[in-house]
Amino acid sequence: MIFTRLARKNGAASTFALALALAAGGVAGTAMLDAPAHAAKKEKKAKPTYSPAFVAAYKPLEELAKAEPLDYAALKAGFPTLLAALVTDDDRYAAGSFIYSNAAKQQDQAMALQGMELMLKSGKVPAENVGQFNFVAGQLAYAANDYAKARPYFQAAADAGYTDTDPLIFVAESYFAEDKVRQGLTYLTDLINAKVAAGETVDEAWLKRGLAQAYNNNLNAEANKYSSWYVKQYPGEDSWGDAVAILLNTGGYQNPEILDLLRLGKRVGVLRDSKLYLEYVDAADYRRLPAEVVTVIDEGYAKGKLDKTDPYVTDTRRQAAERAATDRADIEKLMADANKAGATLATVLAAGDTLLALGRPADAESFYAKALNMPSVNAPMVTTRLGIAQFDQGKYAEAEATFNKVEGARKPIANLWAIYANQKATAATM
């Protein structure tokens, strides 16, 4: 998945792939009236009891199944007679195994499912195979688009301890296949929460699938939740790039919020294209934060994301560079004014913002801290920028704590910052 600015699409191709075990022999092998080989292991088990009616119905079909070439249509036509003759559970297991195996060879999934269901209902499936049989039954029902029937089989496979392929993700997929996205995400979210609570790593495919489903169905809160999980569990260029792009596309933010989100994107190194660089330039505004605009444009040039012949970019950089020189010349005076007892909130914030843009985060931190104690302050914005100033000094634990205090519309932005600060802090101790 590569999400970019305004790259939302309607519907996502499922990454779900069925791996149906429908090769010759299938799960149970061709049924014979003798007990299946896997039923006679270390302990001796009771000899199967077949009813005379079943034996009479089975024998002709057994011979027909041996014929070369197989007349499957004729064989299938005899299945109803076989089913009508069932009396004992051993009859049911043998008939189910016979039907499943022969149907599987012909890729007759509906009949294969009927055979598998017969075996499961018989109660004769060996305990070690119950999970596998339920899983295959779930796959067959899924392939037939009978998702309501598939779900309990996948759940039963998981309950029986089947782990070759995680059955529970198939339950979530069954909801997605029915366009019951919220139900699927609720189910998947519960699975992930359980994994996280247990300190276990969540399968990356689960996170990507949930993220794609949430994003493509305009479930913004869920999309941001999944992108946060994704960067926590699998930090990297793809996950962080997706997280920033998704929040940018779904947050409904104005320039002040966009600026602080793209500041994160720049620090993580995931500004993917010219649109993001240009949006960063606009959000920073060369009239307010010219030094930062110059830095962003120069990075865009260096990474080949911005065109050096674009007159808008070149003119913006020129004007920003001129203003940045003025900011550097005037910064000491601005700091002095902001340090005065009667300094206005606007002056204090201007000092903090200018210093942060000039790459002086330690000085910026003191002014943001001062601003937080002033009347009418936009606390979420200033707290976010206080955290950024701490982060830029390498004070990652303090920054994380600061970001965690942010509430309101900025909380998702601060949450991503907090995750990244935590990752940097962890890396610093390794």
Side-chain angles (χ1 to χ4, degrees), residues 185-198:
L185 285 174
T186 296
Y187 184 89
L188 185 56
T189 296
D190 288 344
L191 293 181
I192 294 172
N193 277 328
K195 288 270 192 182
V196 171

Side-chain angles (χ1 to χ4, degrees), residues 42 46 68 94 158 175 213 246 249 261 267 283 301 353 368 384 427:
K42 293 183 180 178
E68 293 290 346
Y175 286 115
Q213 283 290 323
I246 286 171
N249 289 344
L261 177 57
R267 284 158 177 78
Y301 284 158
D353 287 342
Y368 287 134
T384 303

Side-chain angles (χ1 to χ4, degrees), residues 25-33 36 50 54 57-67 70-72 74-80 82-83 86 90-106 111-112 114-116 118-119 133:
V27 174
T30 302
M32 297 295 175
L33 291 185
Y50 302 115
F54 171 70
Y58 177 86
K59 286 293 187 182
L61 295 179
E62 182 182 29
E63 292 304 315
L64 190 58
K66 293 177 181 178
L70 174 66
D71 185 348
Y72 180 66
L75 182 66
K76 184 175 179 179
F79 289 165
L82 183 67
L83 295 173
L86 302 180
D90 288 315
D91 292 347
R92 294 182 184 89
Y93 183 77
S97 180
F98 180 80
I99 291 171
Y100 171 81
S101 181
N102 284 285
K105 292 174 186 177
Q106 303 300 317
M111 191 54 67
Q114 190 171 346
M116 184 61 68
L118 262 179
M119 286 189 282
F133 279 39

Side-chain angles (χ1 to χ4, degrees), residues 47-343:
K47 186 175 178 64
T49 303
Y50 302 115
S51 67
F54 171 70
V55 173
Y58 177 86
K59 286 293 187 182
L61 295 179
E62 182 182 29
E63 292 304 315
L64 190 58
K66 293 177 181 178
E68 293 290 346
L70 174 66
D71 185 348
Y72 180 66
L75 182 66
K76 184 175 179 179
F79 289 165
T81 301
L82 183 67
L83 295 173
L86 302 180
V87 177
T88 70
D89 285 335
D90 288 315
D91 292 347
R92 294 182 184 89
Y93 183 77
S97 180
F98 180 80
I99 291 171
Y100 171 81
S101 181
N102 284 285
K105 292 174 186 177
Q106 303 300 317
Q107 296 291 305
D108 184 349
Q109 296 177 353
M111 191 54 67
L113 175 59
Q114 190 171 346
M116 184 61 68
E117 289 180 317
L118 262 179
M119 286 189 282
L120 289 167
K121 290 175 182 176
S122 76
K124 294 293 183 175
V125 177
E128 65 269 23
N129 297 117
V130 168
Q132 180 191 17
F133 279 39
N134 273 287
F135 184 72
V136 173
Q139 289 184 306
L140 289 165
Y142 191 104
N145 300 325
D146 194 343
Y147 306 114
K149 176 180 280 191
R151 281 191 282 273
Y153 283 123
F154 288 134
Q155 186 65 55
D159 293 344
Y162 182 75
T163 57
D164 284 3
T165 302
D166 197 326
L168 296 179
I169 189 62
F170 289 71
V171 177
E173 285 292 347
S174 72
Y175 286 115
F176 296 148
E178 289 182 303
D179 290 327
K180 296 179 178 178
V181 178
R182 285 191 180 275
Q183 287 173 265
L185 285 174
T186 296
Y187 184 89
L188 185 56
T189 296
D190 288 344
L191 293 181
I192 294 172
N193 277 328
K195 288 270 192 182
V196 171
E200 299 175 6
T201 299
V202 180
D203 190 317
E204 185 175 8
W206 290 19
L207 299 172
K208 287 184 175 182
R209 188 66 174 131
L211 178 55
Q213 283 290 323
Y215 183 78
N216 287 314
N217 287 280
N218 302 313
L219 302 176
N220 296 342
E222 288 83 354
N224 290 320
K225 178 192 299 182
Y226 272 84
S227 63
S228 294
W229 271 333
Y230 190 20
V231 295
K232 281 182 180 178
Q233 295 272 331
Y234 296 94
E237 185 175 338
D238 286 347
S239 59
W240 272 110
D242 285 351
V244 170
I246 286 171
L247 189 52
L248 187 62
N249 289 344
T250 63
Y253 294 126
Q254 300 301 311
N255 277 348
E257 293 80 24
I258 290 172
L259 173 61
D260 290 336
L261 177 57
L262 293 180
R263 281 169 163 168
L264 172 62
K266 181 178 182 297
R267 284 158 177 78
V268 184
V270 293
L271 299 182
R272 290 171 166 165
D273 53 38
S274 61
K275 290 180 181 178
L276 291 177
Y277 276 97
L278 290 174
E279 192 148 9
Y280 193 154
V281 168
D282 288 344
D285 190 340
Y286 75 92
R287 295 163 299 184
R288 293 181 56 255
L289 302 173
E292 189 163 358
V293 169
V294 171
T295 300
V296 172
I297 290 176
D298 286 349
E299 179 180 294
Y301 284 158
K303 292 189 174 182
K305 304 297 184 182
L306 291 177
D307 182 358
K308 291 185 178 181
T309 65
D310 183 333
Y312 169 76
V313 178
T314 56
D315 187 57
T316 298
R317 191 197 181 285
R318 178 184 58 77
Q319 294 184 72
E322 293 171 357
R323 289 173 178 264
T326 301
D327 279 355
R328 290 189 179 90
D330 295 344
I331 189 59
E332 297 302 326
K333 180 179 184 306
L334 177 59
M335 292 172 65
D337 289 343
N339 274 319
K340 292 177 181 177

